[in-house]
Amino acid sequence: MADMLPIKERLKIKRHEMPTLDPEKRGKIFEEVPTGYTVEDAISEAQRCLQCKVATCMDGCPAQVRIPHFIEAIVAEDFEKALEELKVTNALPAVCGRVCPQETQCENTCVLEKQKRPVAIGRLERFVADWNRNNVGHKLPVCAPEGEIKGKVAIVGAGPAGIACAADLSKACYDVTVFEALHKVGGVLRYGIPDFRLPKDILDSEIDAIKETGVKFVTNVVVGNSITVDELALEYDAVFIGNGAGGPRMLGIPGENLNGVYSASEFLVRVNLMGARNFPDFDTPVNFGRKVVVFGAGNVAMDAVRTALRLGADEATIVYRRTKNEAPARDEEIMHAEEEGVKFHFLASPVKINGKNGRVASIICQLMKLGEPDSSGRARPVPDEGKTMEIEVDTVIVAIGQQANPIVAKSATGVRTDKRGYFVASLETGQTTREGVFAGGDIVTGAATVIEAVGAGKNAAQAIDRFIRSKKLSVAEEANK
Amino acid sequence: MYVIKKKKQWSEKVFTCWIDAPWVARSASPGQFLVTINSCKGERIPMTIVDVDGDSIELLFQVVGKSTLELSRMNEGDSLYAVVGPLGNPSVLQKFDGPAVFVAGGIGVGPIYPIAKKAKEMGNKVISIMGSRSETLLVMTDQMREISDELLISTDDGSCGRKGFVTDLLREVLERDEKPSHIWAIGPAIMMKFVALTAKPFNVPLTVSLNPIMVDATGMCGVCRVYVNGENKLACVDGPEFDGYAVDYDGFMGRLTQYQEKEAVALKHYMELEG
């Protein structure tokens, strides 16, 4: 067992870098890029944690993960206990350890961030989940429900928000059914995030652990069409809607419907969910060309452009109207993309896609320059008048964000949506404008992070527990009168 | 789940299947469609819902590529990997003043049948026009006759009904004294385009149902986008029915060809494996 070092000693340890696959080799394969800490790395990194009395790191975590506790267990070399600590609040540590933007969340509020060397909380979270999966098997220590079933809850959407809500409610002794429109569960973790960032067997393992607590997943049911929210509200004590934003946003420029123009969702769904990279062994194909351009610079854009490279594109380029500084993707994703050979065209805004015989042939971009900051605080890009460029391409992928999917909302009487189609719900409780119906994740906030959706699912689980208990209490009181 | 209860072969390439799909059957309405997946490696194929009976739904499909060939080779008792739906919006029907005309090209008769049947049940005079290349490709004529006040048939080769196209018959119906109130047309994109060109001068509202390439078919991927009145619409969630005079048919047909080469590769690969 490793000793708890004096603070002075702990401060001397350097932050452990994440080992990664060689960029030369990985650029053509779908193997996970970061390879994970060794036991020695993890213990040493865990010793860097100062075990602050007031754990400011937790303020940065939407899921309120017990960060000092799980790190303390790593130092004690009790990795099973470390996982138990993680799973008190987060059912998806292997996922969150990989895809959370820790640099803007827990690691940003770590006291050591002031010296620009925060504890690598995300890498440690991933280590704990992976160690347990590899050494203890997939039967992860989630609290199994005990005692009487307190009620029935329906959850719409098996993505991060729905899964987190389901896991917490199941732990709190509720009978939970999750309805998923697609044929596989996981939501964006399944269809959106590529294997090189989140291998799907790892996702399966975390979901299997949740299934073992008794959560039922029903796939191929499109809530809104197969069954309405109104019907669910009658049959269940409460309903949680976490169906994700899930609609493609296009640019609205000429040429957008030419063959060879994809939304990022279509491109990633074909490859990740439908197995298109193994066509024709799998039935779903994807057409990718030699020269691929991706519009946008968020995480989805990086996923798309790196996927295009792995599928065999000769050239894969990001076109973004601002600069690298304003790019919404994680620094790590941009760095990985650069290492793998992705090209970047900053300060260029696409205005037209030219076609030849119905297929994409080139794009025309208006060159931009940075102006005054806009409402998001980022410098607003303004056209550099008279300057345009044309790039010859054969595939265009549009990754400029999402819009609300209308299917669920149209079947939910009394659940108000805003003018963009997102549900109006409390960010603290997920309460919508209809009693007994809660919502959280991207369908409330618009596209956000996985952990924010997890946080929203967790908050709603607490609120649903309170709602059902008070409802049953008042029914019982009524009966006793 | 998703067991094939009954199967019928209409012709060399056209089949009907009854499949157990309770989640679809419980709420399917005329005008809606569903998605099937043959196997765990399968693609998501949009299919039309012809009829519902208890927990089962009826599909009509024509073998055009690997997945439909594979489906046609499945037997009663076999199970599909998934059946998802209903998807899209139901048809908006009413009691019209004049006759309602239903134009079906090829297996477009599958989706048009439940709409025409519902229109008939609502008390409308139903005039149905069916067309195909030749008599052997005409299916469901008895069912259509049953729910139609008048059934007109055309074949390209004249082997059944009028020699010619559905548009010839439609023009004659539109020229009658009794002016139709509404036209539905479902079939190959080129047919729907020519129905729109034929009907336009008569100023009768036209609804078409589009069958583009889809993947998730729940509004997520956007592959089914089509310009309607110059605006991008998703056939899966905004349709599948649209104002037949507002659809950009040429753009729509262009997008249907996106995967022609890959479709041929998939079929060849399957034939090499399965023969």
Side-chain angles (χ1 to χ4, degrees), chain B residues 241-262:
Chain B
E241 293 188 347
F242 292 104
D243 172 0
Y245 301 121
V247 171
D248 164 26
Y249 291 101
D250 293 339
F252 175 67
M253 285 187 275
R255 289 185 65 76
L256 283 173
T257 65
Q258 275 181 92
Y259 284 99
Q260 265 171 355
E261 285 164 33
K262 290 278 170 31

Side-chain angles (χ1 to χ4, degrees), chain A residues 179 181-184 191 218-222 225-228 231 235 246-248 250 253-263 265-266 269-270 273-274 279-288 359 402 405-407 410, chain B residues 2 23 26-27 32 37-44 66-67 70 81-89 213-223 225-227 232 234 237-238 251 254-255 257-259 262-263 265-266 269:
Chain A
F179 295 95
L182 294 172
H183 53 286
K184 286 183 177 168
Y191 69 75
V218 186
T219 50
N220 301 322
V221 173
V222 185
N225 283 351
S226 311
I227 189 166
T228 62
E231 288 173 287
E235 203 179 317
M250 302 303 282
I253 60 174
E256 208 157 45
N257 286 9
L258 286 164
N259 290 348
V261 182
Y262 288 95
S263 75
S265 300
E266 184 196 343
V269 164
R270 283 179 181 274
L273 175 71
M274 304 307 298
F279 176 87
D281 186 31
F282 281 65
D283 292 345
T284 305
V286 64
N287 281 334
F288 57 91
R359 271 202 69 85
Q402 306 287 309
N405 187 306
I407 297 182
K410 73 175 188 212
Chain B
Y2 318 128
W23 284 102
R26 70 190 297 279
S27 45
Q32 291 184 297
I37 311 176
N38 291 345
S39 74
C40 62
K41 293 181 176 178
E43 60 184 329
R44 297 173 68 95
K66 189 253 164 170
S67 294
E70 187 177 56
Y81 175 73
V83 177
V84 194
L87 299 164
N89 300 299
I213 294 171
M214 292 188 187
V215 185
D216 67 285
T218 60
M220 207 168 81
C221 81
V223 65
R225 64 189 184 272
V226 54
Y227 286 123
N232 243 339
L234 301 185
V237 288
D238 299 322
R255 289 185 65 76
T257 65
Q258 275 181 92
Y259 284 99
K262 290 278 170 31
E263 283 156 13
V265 171
H269 177 77

Side-chain angles (χ1 to χ4, degrees), chain A residues 157-160 163 180 184-191 203 207 217:
Chain A
I163 289 174
E180 168 56 47
K184 286 183 177 168
V185 297
V188 71
L189 306 172
R190 177 79 55 185
Y191 69 75
L203 175 63
I207 291 172
F217 287 92

